Amino acid sequence: MPVITLDRLADCPAAQWDALVPAQQPFLSYAFLSALEDSGSLGPNSGWRTQHLTWQENGNILAAIPGYRKRHSYGEYVFDQGWADACQRSGIAYYPKWLGAVPFSPVTGARLLGDEPAAVSLLQAIPDYLEENGLTGAHINFTDERANRLIAAEPVWQHRQGLQYHWQNRDYRDFQDYLDALTSRKRKQFRKEREQVAAQGIDFVWLGGAQVTEAQWDFVYACYSNTYHIRGQSPYLTRAFFSLLAERMPEAIRVVFAQQNGRDLAMAFSLISGDTFYGRYWGCLAEFDRLHFETCFYQGMEYAIASGLKRFDAGAQGEHKLLRGFEPVITDSWHYLRHPGLRDAVEDFLVEERAGVQRWADEAREVLPYRHDVC
C-alpha cells in the first residue's frame, strides 16, 4: 500500500483528521494546522510546502504524520543548520528534506497518528518515499513516548535530544504559595520584579479567544511581528492566522494584555488544553522595566494556579526560565539521512550531544530556585 500525501489539509475531512489526533493535542488539531495553511503562513514562498503523509485503506486514513517539504531549517527549533553547512562545504545536498512536525511550535506531542500497525507501516515506507521524491532525509521533531518507542525499533533512524524548561504547578494555592517554595533570595527578587512593574502603573487583562476583537488582534500581531523585526527577521505567521485560529478554536486561546492608563503596551498569546498552559508568543511596542518577565512568566504562572493547570510549557530555549523555576525537560527528535557518510558523521555527533544534554539537565536542576526542604 503506497504512502498517500495530502498537499493541503483541506483535502481531508476535519472529522477524519481529528479522529486520528489524541485528546488534548491542540497543535495537531485540524483547526490549528489548517489555520497555518489557510492563512498563508505556510506555502511555497515560506519554504514550508505541505506534505502530510498518510496510510489509507479504501479511502480511509488509518495513520498519518503531519509533514512538510522544506528547503531551509527555519522555524523548527531542532537546529540542524550545522549539518546543512557541513554538507554545503562537502558538496552534499541537504535540501530539500521532509519534516514531520508542527510548524513554528516546539511542543512535544504525538507525531505518528492513528492505528499503531498502520503507523508502523507508514514509518517503514518513508525511506522509499524520500528516494522516489528526491528528498535527502526525514526528520520527526518533538516526539511523544509512543513515537519514541515505535521509531526506536527502526534502526535507520538516529535519535537526538534537546532541552526545554517547563514550570510545574505543585498544587499551589496562589502565587504567594509558589513564592514560599523558593529560596529567600529568589523570593525577594521575584517579588521586587513584580512590584517594579506595578509601580509603573501597569495592569493586566486576560481575554479568551472569543473575547478578543479584530482591533486587538491587530495589536497582538503588531507585538508578535515586532519581536522579529527588532532582530532583522520576518515573522513566520501572518496576521490572518490569528483571526482564523480565533474563529476555529477560540476555547483554547488566552491572551493577556499589559495596559497603562487603559493603553495596551504588550501582550502574551497562549493556548490551554487539558492540564497544560502553552505560552506561545509575546511582544511589546515599548520597553518597560521587567515587563517581559511579568507578562510572559509571572502572569502565566498566576493564571495556571488560578485555573488548576498543572504545567506551563513556555517553548524552546531560554535558560533565564530556569532561574524562575522552570525545570529542565528532555525533548526527542529522530532523523533519517540518506547519505551514508553524513549519517555516520551525525551519529558520532549525536552520541556526544546526548551525553551533553543529560549532563546539562542534571546541572540545571542544581540551580533551580526552590528550597531544598520543599523539593
Side-chain angles (χ1 to χ4, degrees):
M1 190 181 300
V3 173
I4 298 176
T5 62
L6 298 177
D7 293 331
R8 57 177 193 154
L9 203 57
D11 292 336
C12 173
Q16 190 175 33
W17 180 269
D18 284 337
L20 302 170
V21 177
Q24 316 303 338
Q25 300 260 339
F27 297 92
L28 293 163
S29 68
Y30 190 95
F32 189 89
L33 294 177
S34 67
L36 287 171
E37 295 181 18
D38 296 345
S39 67
S41 300
L42 305 176
N45 293 333
S46 72
W48 292 76
R49 176 179 163 190
T50 301
Q51 283 190 349
H52 305 308
L53 305 186
T54 70
W55 195 261
Q56 301 189 20
E57 183 176 300
N58 299 323
N60 294 317
I61 300 177
L62 302 183
I65 308 175
Y68 304 87
R69 185 185 182 105
K70 293 292 303 295
R71 54 178 171 82
H72 56 61
S73 294
Y74 298 118
E76 299 177 15
Y77 301 98
V78 174
F79 301 102
D80 63 350
Q81 286 91 337
W83 304 356
D85 291 343
C87 285
Q88 184 177 30
R89 291 193 299 270
S90 302
I92 300 170
Y94 192 74
Y95 304 108
K97 65 179 185 178
W98 181 85
L99 172 70
V102 178
F104 325 125
S105 302
V107 176
T108 291
R111 295 295 180 263
L112 307 184
L113 309 181
D115 175 74
E116 186 164 306
V120 170
S121 296
L122 178 57
L123 182 67
Q124 292 173 341
I126 287 178
D128 288 340
Y129 174 80
L130 299 176
E131 184 173 0
E132 293 167 3
N133 289 272
L135 295 158
T136 62
H139 311 259
I140 305 179
N141 293 350
F142 298 104
T143 47
D144 66 355
E145 291 182 3
R146 185 178 93 142
N148 289 338
R149 172 174 56 83
L150 297 180
I151 301 174
E154 304 296 325
V156 298
W157 291 85
Q158 296 173 286
H159 184 206
R160 191 175 191 184
Q161 292 185 318
L163 203 62
Q164 291 185 348
Y165 304 96
H166 298 178
W167 183 79
Q168 306 294 331
N169 175 11
R170 296 188 171 88
D171 297 322
Y172 300 119
R173 295 184 298 273
D174 51 30
F175 194 82
Q176 181 59 49
D177 197 26
Y178 164 62
L179 290 180
D180 290 340
L182 306 178
T183 63
S184 175
R185 183 173 65 87
K186 283 298 181 182
R187 184 165 57 248
K188 291 177 181 177
Q189 176 189 336
F190 295 175
R191 186 180 292 121
K192 182 178 180 180
E193 287 177 345
R194 302 201 79 185
E195 290 171 351
Q196 288 174 326
V197 173
Q200 297 172 83
I202 298 175
D203 301 311
F204 294 86
V205 176
W206 282 89
L207 296 178
Q211 298 172 296
V212 181
T213 67
E214 286 300 310
Q216 288 172 314
W217 283 126
D218 288 340
F219 176 79
V220 167
Y221 188 72
C223 288
Y224 159 76
S225 58
N226 189 52
T227 62
Y228 290 86
H229 293 324
I230 60 178
R231 300 195 298 268
Q233 301 173 359
S234 298
Y236 293 127
L237 301 172
T238 65
R239 166 64 181 84
F241 169 78
F242 292 91
S243 292
L244 285 176
L245 200 67
E247 175 186 313
R248 295 176 184 183
M249 49 188 298
E251 70 288 345
I253 295 173
R254 299 293 183 275
V255 184
V256 60
F257 293 91
Q259 299 180 339
Q260 187 182 60
N261 299 322
R263 180 174 65 91
D264 290 330
L265 306 174
M267 71 85 206
F269 173 96
S270 306
L271 298 180
I272 62 168
S273 183
D275 65 355
T276 303
F277 182 94
Y278 297 96
R280 303 307 334 132
Y281 314 116
W282 126 275
C284 63
L285 298 185
E287 295 293 336
F288 289 83
D289 192 31
R290 304 299 173 178
L291 183 59
H292 173 258
F293 298 133
E294 177 67 36
T295 309
C296 287
F297 301 135
Y298 301 144
Q299 284 291 314
M301 293 174 180
E302 203 162 48
Y303 185 91
I305 293 170
S307 303
L309 301 173
K310 295 298 185 183
R311 186 167 64 97
F312 181 176
D313 177 345
Q317 303 175 290
E319 293 177 7
H320 57 283
K321 299 170 187 171
L322 179 70
L323 302 178
R324 284 168 174 76
F326 287 72
E327 301 175 37
V329 174
I330 300 292
T331 62
D332 301 281
S333 64
W334 297 85
H335 309 268
Y336 170 73
L337 302 167
R338 290 180 57 203
H339 192 283
L342 176 61
R343 189 163 57 242
D344 291 344
V346 163
E347 184 57 37
D348 292 339
F349 167 79
L350 292 178
V351 170
E352 294 184 9
E353 185 185 50
R354 286 195 299 268
V357 168
Q358 292 290 341
R359 283 195 301 271
W360 172 236
D362 292 338
E363 293 171 5
R365 294 185 184 96
E366 296 299 317
V367 299
L368 285 166
Y370 297 101
R371 292 163 37 200
H372 293 299
D373 60 321
V374 298
C375 291

